[in-house]
């Protein structure tokens, strides 16, 4: 179970009292998280999620609160931070920054169909449109500079074939970094995987886990989503699901020619980001009762992205 900081009822009850949501009925740790400690909390006033933030600079937490509130005001289904009777949203529990948020309805989809992918694309376009005009600045701690720094230090744990694969894409990052950073920008979710999206009766009802959110090229966010929602078991892209996601996105926010030029490269870069972070997590949490995603999954996808035939629907609306 990925609960890094266990909690007791005696800790929770005084923490929850200032929200005026009634008595604590039950709570349980959420096993799906891999970076923060999350709990389902049942109160007289409804169902909620409590997050203890375990990773990342504390100074960035007001950014997450502000971004989620902006998206909530834009009518996107997101878990905005609730406030206490004195107006506090960001608090502390067990020595960790803590947020209480509404629990969104729905379940994760493990085997998405094109209709799911279309809605994911539409949701992502709405996020970008809601923030492109007023981007809340936050530099990703898993961005291009991080890849160029962390990648070479992990070469020692890889076999020769994997080293060559990684070095090739890191070379692309270094060579094209200025052009990539000049692409159209907005706020990004930056982790829009299947386990961060909720559906109810085939309708997208919520997107969770914004703790990798940042400012950056919108195309990068699209590549992250396509790599997870549209990959086949062998790592290759399913063209039907991928085209559905891209069409759903482009119907609201058309792609431009500069984005199309970097599309295959961006898919590879998005693979490297999660390959590296999973390698680091596997080393850091080896032998612990923590959810560790398989790094080989993204290595396999990166191999498949060496040749990309899927194009972007540029300029369509």
């Amino acid at each position: 179970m990925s609960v890094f900081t266990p909690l007791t009822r005696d800790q929770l009850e005084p923490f929850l009292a200032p929200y005026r949501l009634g008595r604590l009925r039950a709570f349980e740790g959420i096993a799906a998280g891999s970076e923060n400690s999350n709990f389902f909390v049942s109160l007289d006033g409804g169902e909620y999620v409590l997050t203890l933030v375990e990773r990342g600079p504390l100074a960035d937490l007001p950014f997450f609160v502000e971004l989620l509130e902006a998206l909530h005001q834009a009518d996107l289904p997101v878990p905005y931070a609730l406030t206490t009777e004195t107006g506090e949203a960001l608090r502390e529990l067990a020595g960790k920054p803590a947020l209480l948020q509404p629990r969104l309805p729905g379940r994760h989809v493990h085997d998405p169909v094109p209709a799911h992918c279309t809605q994911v694309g539409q949701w992502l376009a709405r996020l970008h449109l809601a923030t492109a005009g007023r981007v809340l600045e936050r530099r990703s701690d898993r961005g291009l500079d991080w890849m160029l720094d962390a990648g070479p230090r992990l070469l020692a744990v890889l076999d020769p074939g994997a080293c060559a694969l990684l070095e090739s894409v890191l070379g692309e990052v270094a060579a094209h970094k200025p052009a990539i950073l000049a692409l159209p920008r907005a706020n990004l979710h930056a982790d829009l995987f299947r386990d961060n999206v909720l559906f109810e009766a085939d309708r997208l009802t919520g997107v969770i886990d914004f703790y990798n959110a940042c400012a950056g090229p919108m195309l990068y966010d699209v590549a992250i989503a396509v790599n997870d929602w549209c990959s086949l078991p062998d790592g290759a892209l399913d063209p039907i699901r991928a085209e559905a996601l891209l069409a759903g996105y482009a119907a609201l926010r058309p792609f431009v020619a500069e984005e199309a030029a970097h599309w295959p490269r961006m898919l590879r870069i998005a693979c490297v980001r999660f390959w590296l972070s999973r390698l680091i997590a596997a080393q850091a949490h080896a032998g612990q009762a923590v959810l560790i995603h398989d790094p080989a999954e993204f290595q396999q996808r990166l191999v498949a992205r060496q040749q990309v035939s899927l194009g972007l629907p540029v300029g369509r609306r």
Side-chain angles (χ1 to χ4, degrees), residues 20-93:
R20 300 285 186 173
L21 295 170
R23 66 183 179 88
L24 175 63
R25 293 183 173 183
F27 70 98
E28 62 176 324
I30 302 174
S34 59
E35 293 186 330
N36 296 317
S37 296
N38 297 289
F39 302 83
F40 289 133
V41 177
S42 179
L43 300 167
D44 287 338
E47 303 296 320
Y48 304 90
V49 174
L50 172 66
T51 296
L52 301 185
V53 181
E54 306 277 358
R55 184 184 72 81
L58 300 185
D60 288 342
L61 294 178
F63 161 86
F64 299 121
V65 173
E66 185 179 0
L67 175 61
L68 288 166
E69 181 59 27
L71 299 182
H72 173 58
Q73 294 299 324
D75 292 326
L76 274 80
V78 297
Y80 59 95
L82 297 170
T83 58
T84 66
E85 57 188 342
T86 58
E88 289 182 285
L90 180 60
R91 302 175 65 216
E92 184 176 297
L93 178 59

Side-chain angles (χ1 to χ4, degrees), residues 114-305:
H116 295 126
C117 295
T118 297
Q119 292 180 67
V120 169
Q122 292 170 340
W123 184 92
L124 194 55
R126 291 179 62 200
L127 163 66
H128 294 163
L129 290 171
T131 59
R134 180 178 174 267
V135 181
L136 300 177
E137 294 296 338
R138 177 185 183 255
R139 184 179 179 182
S140 172
D141 60 355
R142 294 288 188 269
L144 301 182
D145 288 335
W146 170 82
M147 295 178 209
L148 293 173
D149 177 64
R153 291 189 281 110
L154 287 167
L155 292 173
V157 304
L158 301 175
D159 62 54
C163 284
L165 181 67
L166 177 56
E167 288 179 318
S168 173
V169 182
L170 292 178
E172 286 191 278
V173 173
H176 297 277
K177 176 184 165 184
I180 290 170
L181 294 179
L183 293 173
R185 300 173 77 249
N187 282 113
L188 317 181
H189 183 282
D191 194 20
L192 196 61
F193 281 37
R194 285 164 288 172
D195 59 2
N196 285 330
V197 182
L198 300 169
F199 282 86
E200 191 173 60
D202 296 325
R203 180 177 63 88
L204 192 155
T205 53
V207 172
I208 61 174
D209 196 353
F210 282 78
Y211 296 103
N212 286 289
C214 57
M218 292 180 268
L219 188 66
Y220 180 53
D221 225 5
V222 177
I224 290 171
V226 167
N227 276 337
D228 186 68
W229 285 85
C230 308
S231 287
L232 296 166
D234 65 357
L237 286 175
D238 175 356
I240 296 176
R241 279 185 282 157
E243 288 170 4
L245 193 154
L246 294 176
Y249 184 96
L252 300 179
R253 209 281 291 184
F255 297 104
V256 298
E258 292 81 3
E259 291 174 310
H262 288 282
W263 175 235
R265 180 174 301 113
M266 196 68 88
L267 286 167
R268 291 190 287 272
I269 291 172
C271 285
V272 166
R273 179 264 186 257
F274 289 96
W275 184 20
L276 295 180
S277 61
R278 288 183 176 191
L279 283 170
I280 292 170
Q283 291 177 334
H285 301 303
Q288 301 179 30
V290 172
L291 176 64
I292 300 175
H293 295 291
D294 184 5
E297 182 178 38
F298 271 94
Q299 179 181 349
Q300 182 183 45
R301 291 175 181 177
L302 180 56
V303 170
R305 300 298 178 272

